[in-house]
Amino acid sequence: MDLDLYAQLFRKHWMVFCLIVAGSIGLVWGISVMKAPAFEGSLLLSFNAKPEAFAQTQYQYGEFYGLQGSEFLAKYFAADLADPATVETILTRAHLGVPNKSLTSLGRIFTLKPVGIAALSARFESGTEDDTLRGLQSLQDVAVSHLTALQQKGLYPNIVLTTGQIYVRQQTVDVPITLGIGAVAGLVLGFFVLLLLSLAIPQKKA
């Protein structure tokens, strides 16, 4: 379709086009507002070498190896806490129930991102503030128990797990993104309608 035909259709049906765009924005906004409120929470897990371990070590680079061990544990727990079996344990301890999802989706329920070289930021979302709080508290407890199990085997005896305060807040509607999605959807739908209307216009003969 050439631009002249689009311009002709827009001049003739501009009101319909604008109504489609406005309706799409309103629909997307309404769906976002009507969704059940969600609560998101975060927790910081930090793996630190005990200061006294540096003073007692006989090695010149004892502090370096302590930091290296902390970094390795942070990477290890990033994978361990995302393992579907661990996620199931966390949810069961929190009395949240295990959702009927694929193993891949189950492993993504908790978002784990590295912070620096020896810390993890854990994020979790649920329908209530209490469920979110219990989910992150359970994750913290499982992380501590897994580190204890490693240390009982003689691994990383000089590493301690320090946890930050669990922070939970209710999610809010992102106004710019929501309006942007509605506007783009409306523009696409509006031009599609114009395309359909163009089929009713007789084509010029060459």
Side-chain angles (χ1 to χ4, degrees), residues 81 83-101 105-110 124-126 131-132 134-140 142:
L81 296 175
D83 182 85
T86 306
V87 173
E88 183 174 351
T89 299
I90 294 171
L91 296 177
T92 301
R93 285 195 180 192
H95 304 290
L96 295 177
V98 181
N100 185 20
K101 293 185 176 182
S105 298
L106 190 62
R108 293 174 179 168
I109 288 181
F110 293 94
F124 176 58
E125 175 186 316
S126 73
D131 285 351
T132 304
R134 285 190 288 113
L136 287 173
Q137 181 64 58
S138 179
L139 181 143
Q140 174 182 313
V142 169

Side-chain angles (χ1 to χ4, degrees), residues 9-200:
L9 288 169
F10 186 80
R11 286 193 298 269
K12 185 176 181 180
H13 303 288
W14 67 269
M15 186 174 293
V16 174
F17 186 86
C18 291
L19 287 175
I20 291 174
V21 174
S24 297
I25 294 175
L27 180 62
V28 172
W29 177 264
I31 292 175
S32 300
V33 172
M34 291 174 62
K35 283 172 53 181
F39 290 82
E40 57 182 351
S42 64
L43 168 67
L44 183 66
L45 305 174
S46 180
F47 300 88
N48 304 299
K50 298 177 183 178
E52 59 268 23
F54 300 145
Q56 297 173 359
T57 182
Q58 300 296 319
Y59 297 100
Q60 180 181 359
Y61 302 106
E63 183 174 355
F64 168 77
Y65 289 115
L67 293 174
Q68 190 177 46
S70 299
E71 181 181 1
F72 178 82
L73 273 179
K75 293 179 179 179
Y76 169 80
F77 274 92
D80 177 52
L81 296 175
D83 182 85
T86 306
V87 173
E88 183 174 351
T89 299
I90 294 171
L91 296 177
T92 301
R93 285 195 180 192
H95 304 290
L96 295 177
V98 181
N100 185 20
K101 293 185 176 182
S102 66
L103 293 180
T104 301
S105 298
L106 190 62
R108 293 174 179 168
I109 288 181
F110 293 94
T111 303
L112 299 156
K113 293 184 178 180
V115 178
I117 62 172
L120 288 175
S121 173
R123 295 182 180 273
F124 176 58
E125 175 186 316
S126 73
T128 69
E129 182 177 6
D130 183 60
D131 285 351
T132 304
L133 183 63
R134 285 190 288 113
L136 287 173
Q137 181 64 58
S138 179
L139 181 143
Q140 174 182 313
D141 294 341
V142 169
V144 171
S145 66
H146 282 200
L147 178 58
T148 301
L150 289 174
Q151 291 176 334
Q152 288 174 346
K153 297 177 181 178
L155 301 173
Y156 306 102
N158 297 321
I159 300 295
V160 293
L161 173 58
T162 305
T163 60
Q165 182 178 2
I166 297 175
Y167 176 66
V168 179
R169 71 169 187 175
Q170 183 175 349
Q171 288 183 339
T172 57
V173 177
D174 193 320
V175 177
I177 292 180
T178 302
L179 296 181
I181 292 174
V184 171
L187 289 172
V188 172
L189 182 58
F191 280 111
F192 179 73
V193 171
L194 290 183
L195 180 62
L196 293 179
L197 291 174
S198 70
L199 299 178

